[in-house]
Amino acid sequence: MAETTLHIIGRQYVVRCRDGEEAHLAHLASLIEEKARAAQQTAQGLTETRTLLFAALFLADEIADLKRQVAEHVQAPPPIESDDGPAAQAIEALAARIEKLNQRLVAEPPTA
């Protein structure tokens, strides 16, 4: 088990994580830091707890928006705009050729 130190709004937090996840946790901490700084700029004089609360709310709002977008995309995929006419004609032409080959094979007696 690894241990890493995260820096968020001027404080250090020592956390344990699985080996190799230190860089990922540092990245997540930078996202929290970014939102915490945005909260501090929006509302001056927030306590540390309220700053982190607003950072969490900002991140939760982004996650909710992304989930909604994914759900809309999964439920209603964009319509495929294609003309099936040429494909259908090609299939019909192949079917006709196969039918002619079948008739010739049935008409010709097998050679021994």
Side-chain angles (χ1 to χ4, degrees):
M1 187 134 258
E3 191 173 276
T4 188
T5 302
L6 306 177
H7 302 274
I8 302 172
I9 56 171
R11 294 219 32 201
Q12 295 182 4
Y13 299 91
V14 178
V15 296
R16 291 181 177 258
C17 62
R18 287 182 281 207
D19 291 334
E21 289 189 348
E22 298 89 348
H24 180 64
L25 280 177
H27 173 70
L28 295 176
S30 72
L31 296 175
I32 296 168
E33 171 77 17
E34 177 185 328
K35 297 303 178 184
R37 295 286 176 209
Q40 287 177 333
Q41 290 175 357
T42 302
Q44 300 291 322
L46 290 177
T47 65
E48 179 183 352
T49 302
R50 290 190 65 80
T51 298
L52 292 174
L53 169 67
F54 278 100
L57 289 171
F58 291 159
L59 290 168
D61 185 48
E62 286 182 15
I63 291 169
D65 285 346
L66 291 171
K67 283 184 176 182
R68 182 182 38 76
Q69 289 173 7
V70 167
E72 288 172 359
H73 181 69
V74 169
Q75 290 175 0
I80 298 173
E81 295 181 20
S82 66
D83 184 11
D84 291 337
Q89 289 174 351
I91 292 171
E92 287 175 11
L94 286 172
R97 286 179 63 191
I98 291 170
E99 184 62 33
K100 285 181 184 179
L101 286 171
N102 183 42
Q103 289 173 358
R104 281 195 347 207
L105 290 172
V106 170
E108 293 177 13
T111 56

